Amino acid sequence: MERRTHHLTISLPHRLDTLNDLFARLREATAPAEIEALQDGIWHIWLTAGHPVLDKHLEAGMRALSAGDYTLAIQEFTSLTEASPDYAEGWNKRATAYYMRGEYNASLRDVRETLRREPRHFGALSGWATMLRMLGDDRGALRVLGRLEKICPAWPGLQSQLRDLRDRLEE
């Protein structure tokens, strides 16, 4: 039996305008409380799939993720990415579930899918850099953190991570 999926698209132009504004402000922010507030605003937009069916999968997947049921979380986020392949956060959440389950290659694949849809996704960039460091790819981690630095130069802990990686690579 052939399985047909109907793609649900999120067409909310004001979301993009709001995201662009928040990211512009994030690039300039230096105070940790301001950075956190701007990130919270961005996450709020990212965590709204924009359709009741999509939101149901997102919420169920996040509940499963919190409960440590990574298999169920991956199933829910897979349903979300199949129903709305352009929704970056579905890919990011599934990347997180794969990461938590120790499936780093699958996680890295989904991080790449996330960043194809939302190149400014600081959560995906941060997770990608963490995995690269765990895998011993300091040069790759430095490149990814450089991308993160363009989005939010004052990201807490970023400058020390960059310094550590540069020092290690110069040895």
Side-chain angles (χ1 to χ4, degrees), residues 32-97:
E34 182 184 8
I35 291 168
E36 187 177 342
L38 291 166
Q39 288 175 345
D40 286 350
I42 292 167
W43 278 115
H44 179 74
I45 293 169
W46 283 345
L47 290 171
T48 305
H51 186 281
V53 172
L54 301 178
D55 286 332
K56 179 180 147 292
H57 287 299
L58 181 61
E59 290 164 18
M62 289 172 58
R63 274 195 309 277
L65 197 56
S66 294
D69 187 345
Y70 306 127
T71 300
L72 178 58
I74 290 165
Q75 289 171 357
E76 290 293 340
F77 298 137
T78 297
S79 294
L80 183 56
T81 59
E82 287 173 353
S84 184
D86 292 331
Y87 179 52
E89 195 54 30
W91 296 98
N92 184 59
K93 287 293 182 245
R94 192 171 73 176
T96 302

Side-chain angles (χ1 to χ4, degrees), residues 23 39 42-43 46 89 92 95-96 111 114-115 118 120-131 144 148 151 155:
F23 274 109
Q39 288 175 345
I42 292 167
W43 278 115
W46 283 345
E89 195 54 30
N92 184 59
T96 302
V111 164
T114 302
L115 293 168
E118 176 50 87
R120 305 169 295 188
H121 200 296
F122 46 75
L125 288 167
S126 179
W128 188 14
T130 298
M131 284 187 277
V144 172
L148 183 57
I151 295 165
W155 179 278

